[in-house]
């Protein structure tokens, strides 16, 4: 299958492209830096700078992952605009391609995030839980709404609301490993906030599941069935690394350093993958212990 992937050069996209290539599919990657992207993608991957550049390829499916990094840098007004614009402009370009093609893609799997729900304290969060109004909710809601415009052209749209993606060579875990190995890890704020997470291999399986299953559309919580609090995450990671993790990062310090972005670290949602499990998806790594054993046990 010819699968157009925006943000295919990123942490999730690289793993997805490698997997699709291995299965005999043809990933078509949109990247602002094609040369750099080719260096991290399977040999022979077609990479072009804009969605529109792939019109002649007539993609049969689209996976939309592109977006400026949410967890990096202070959320100045300019950064917030970049977070929104980078997602909306790419998604609008995907919808425009669907409009133009005589034979639009069958399916669009368009990334969203746990941030859709905003801060939910310790209540159980399924796809039906009403969101808490705040910037991350607005960002995800507008991103999802933009993707759903493809439905007007007969495209099935699935929206994985992704939890913290875990693997060794990227994302948040890679950033945590050095301080934790030095014994400098510790809970963030009270540590009571939930951190829904997912092994990167399971996220690739979720995306494939949503690409393949013609009966699945709308939002899907894409996180392991056992979310943990930040304190549990901290304890479990420290245990796997045989290090203490007793140095807490107090909330006021995080707010001072990260500004409004500190909310991403200090709040969360106990998000369960209800719709994916009802649809029959099983997770290879349902518990954090299993995920970290795999990730940290690899050489
Ligand atoms: N990783 C997580 O824990 C996590 C959790 C929840 C949701 N998500 C969402 O899932 C998606 C994929 O995550 P990821 O971890 O793979 O992200 P990533 O590594 O940051 O990759 C995203 C890709 O988007 C492209 N991009 C970055 N800034 C852009 C901009 N201003 N305009 C257009 N494209 C831009 C980049 O590709 P080029 O430089 O090649 O153009 C980059 O490779 C993201 O949208 C992210 O928000 C991720």
């Amino acid at each position: 299958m010819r699968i157009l992937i925006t943000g295919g050069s990123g942490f999730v996209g690289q793993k997805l492209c490698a997997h699709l290539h291995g299965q005999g599919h043809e990933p078509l990657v949109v990247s602002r830096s094609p040369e750099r992207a080719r260096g991290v993608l399977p040999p022979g991957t077609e990479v072009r700078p804009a969605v529109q550049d792939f019109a002649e390829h007539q993609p049969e499916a689209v996976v939309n992952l592109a977006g400026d990094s949410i967890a990096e840098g202070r959320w100045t007004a300019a950064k917030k605009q970049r977070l929104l614009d980078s997602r909306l402009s790419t998604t609008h370009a995907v919808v425009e391609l669907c409009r133009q093609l005589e034979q639009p893609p069958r399916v669009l799997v368009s990334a969203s995030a746990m941030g859709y729900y905003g801060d939910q304290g310790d209540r159980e969060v399924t796809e039906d839980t009403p969101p808490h109004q705040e910037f991350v909710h607005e960002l995800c809601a507008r991103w999802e709404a933009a993707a759903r415009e493809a439905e007007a052209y007969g495209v099935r749209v699935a929206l994985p609301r992704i939890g913290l993606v875990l693997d060794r060579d990227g994302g948040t875990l890679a950033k945590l490993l050095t301080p934790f190995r030095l014994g400098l890890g510790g809970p963030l704020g009270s540590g009571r906030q939930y951190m829904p997470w997912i092994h990167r291999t399971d996220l690739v399986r979720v995306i494939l599941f949503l690409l393949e299953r013609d009966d699945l559309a709308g939002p899907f919580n894409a996180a392991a069935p056992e979310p943990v609090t930040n304190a549990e995450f901290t304890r479990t990671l420290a245990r796997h690394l045989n290090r203490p993790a007793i140095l807490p990062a107090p909330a006021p310090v995080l707010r001072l350093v990260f500004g409004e972005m500190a909310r991403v670290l200090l709040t969360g949602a106990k998000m369960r993958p209800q719709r994916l499990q009802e649809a029959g998806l099983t997770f290879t790594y349902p518990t954090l212990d299993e995920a970290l054993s795999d990730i940290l046990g690899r050489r």
Side-chain angles (χ1 to χ4, degrees), residues 100-165:
Q100 283 172 11
L101 290 177
E102 207 169 295
Q103 176 91 56
R106 223 170 23 79
V107 53
L108 163 60
V109 176
S110 191
S112 179
M114 57 196 163
Y116 175 86
Y117 299 103
D119 181 16
Q120 293 285 340
D122 56 9
R123 84 176 60 90
E124 296 275 332
V125 171
T126 71
E127 289 82 357
D128 298 325
T129 303
H132 179 254
Q133 298 296 329
E134 54 186 287
F135 173 70
V136 277
H137 165 68
E138 187 201 331
L139 175 66
C140 294
R142 289 181 63 183
W143 195 11
E144 292 185 8
R148 291 193 94 141
E149 287 175 23
E151 288 170 350
Y153 309 106
V155 180
R156 175 171 66 84
V157 179
L159 305 157
R161 291 177 178 158
I162 303 170
L164 190 67
V165 184

Side-chain angles (χ1 to χ4, degrees), residues 7 9-13 31-33 36 65-68 70 86-87 90 111-113 143 162-165:
S9 64
F11 177 49
V12 175
S31 167
R32 294 163 305 163
S33 318
R36 190 191 59 81
L65 299 171
D68 189 79
I70 293 179
S86 59
R87 289 176 171 75
T90 313
S112 179
W143 195 11
I162 303 170
L164 190 67
V165 184

Side-chain angles (χ1 to χ4, degrees), residues 85-288:
D85 290 348
S86 59
R87 289 176 171 75
L88 297 183
S89 61
T90 313
T91 309
H92 289 321
V94 167
V95 172
E96 178 57 21
L97 183 71
C98 296
R99 188 186 70 77
Q100 283 172 11
L101 290 177
E102 207 169 295
Q103 176 91 56
R106 223 170 23 79
V107 53
L108 163 60
V109 176
S110 191
S112 179
M114 57 196 163
Y116 175 86
Y117 299 103
D119 181 16
Q120 293 285 340
D122 56 9
R123 84 176 60 90
E124 296 275 332
V125 171
T126 71
E127 289 82 357
D128 298 325
T129 303
H132 179 254
Q133 298 296 329
E134 54 186 287
F135 173 70
V136 277
H137 165 68
E138 187 201 331
L139 175 66
C140 294
R142 289 181 63 183
W143 195 11
E144 292 185 8
R148 291 193 94 141
E149 287 175 23
E151 288 170 350
Y153 309 106
V155 180
R156 175 171 66 84
V157 179
L159 305 157
R161 291 177 178 158
I162 303 170
L164 190 67
V165 184
L166 300 184
D167 212 338
R168 197 182 176 114
D169 51 350
T172 301
L173 185 60
K175 291 191 192 122
L176 291 177
L177 285 178
T178 302
F180 269 73
R181 284 201 172 108
L182 294 171
L184 298 172
L188 303 176
S190 72
R192 288 200 298 270
Q193 66 279 26
Y194 272 87
M195 289 176 61
W197 60 273
I198 184 165
H199 191 302
R200 186 163 60 150
T201 300
D202 270 334
L203 179 58
V204 167
R205 292 179 60 245
V206 167
I207 294 171
L208 296 174
F209 189 72
L210 294 173
L211 283 173
E212 283 162 11
R213 282 277 299 264
D214 285 338
D215 56 326
L216 299 181
F220 293 87
N221 291 347
E226 297 199 19
V228 294
T229 62
N230 173 263
E232 287 169 70
F233 184 92
T234 302
R235 268 197 307 276
T236 311
L237 178 58
R239 181 162 45 75
H240 277 264
L241 295 171
N242 291 317
R243 290 285 185 281
I246 46 174
L247 288 177
V253 175
L254 291 172
R255 283 194 203 99
L256 199 67
V257 176
F258 294 107
E260 194 182 341
M261 198 281 275
R263 278 192 72 76
V264 172
L265 309 172
L266 294 169
T267 66
K270 193 177 181 184
M271 187 170 87
R272 304 262 187 209
Q274 182 168 287
R275 292 195 67 212
L276 284 172
Q277 289 189 304
E278 281 171 2
L281 184 87
T282 53
F283 287 77
T284 307
Y285 305 100
T287 68
L288 187 59

